[in-house]
Amino acid sequence: MAVRPMVNRDNAYFWDGTLAGELRLQRCNACQALRHPPGPACPDCGALDRGHVVASGLGTVYSYVIHRHPPVPGKELPILLAVIDLDEGLRMVGEIVDLPESELAIGLRVQVDFAPVDDELSLPIWRKAD
Ligand SMILES: [Zn+2]
């Protein structure tokens, strides 16, 4: 069993995107500023009119933690968690998969992938970029 995210009106576009195999970033329709995590108003100009763009899905590890304890339901430890600098200039927290922990390093190039949980939920995960 996975830990399910809270899906609400402000972030539904994001989870609709991961189901469709897209990493979506919220964009202000007034000033075009990108933002993540999603929110109702633009932090730059305050506008409520918002849309989204599809990110390249490429980024660079900015920092990371290796979670060894305590246990997480349904997960094998360790879990590699990184703060990723997206090529679009935003930061996002993500789980790095299929990587020996000795290879996890600041500056590592990563690319997004999607792990289906069920028909209604797919989680973004990150792999070492090709
Ligand atoms: Zn704005």
Side-chain angles (χ1 to χ4, degrees):
M1 197 185 80
V3 178
R4 300 186 76 93
M6 289 272 282
V7 178
N8 59 41
R9 199 176 50 174
D10 287 333
N11 67 19
Y13 76 94
F14 183 83
W15 298 109
D16 288 347
T18 58
L19 260 186
E22 295 178 353
L23 188 71
R24 295 178 180 175
L25 301 176
Q26 198 164 53
R27 185 175 64 181
C28 174
N29 284 337
C31 75
Q32 311 301 311
L34 294 171
R35 62 185 190 261
H36 189 87
C42 175
D44 285 6
C45 76
L48 296 172
D49 183 15
R50 58 196 192 266
H52 67 260
V53 296
V54 178
S56 65
L58 292 169
T60 304
V61 172
Y62 170 78
S63 69
Y64 63 87
V65 294
I66 298 176
H67 181 97
R68 301 176 199 281
H69 193 81
V72 177
K75 303 287 286 185
E76 269 182 50
L77 299 183
I79 300 168
L80 310 184
L81 284 176
V83 177
I84 296 156
D85 269 332
L86 303 183
D87 286 4
E88 287 78 10
L90 299 180
R91 282 192 180 143
M92 192 174 282
V93 175
E95 181 180 349
I96 312 279
V97 300
D98 296 339
L99 185 76
E101 61 178 274
S102 60
E103 287 189 34
L104 182 56
I106 290 167
L108 182 75
R109 290 288 288 164
V110 291
Q111 62 186 58
V112 77
D113 196 1
F114 300 94
V117 174
D118 56 34
D119 288 347
E120 294 179 354
L121 180 65
S122 184
L123 297 174
I125 53 174
W126 295 82
R127 301 179 189 281
K128 185 177 177 179
D130 293 333

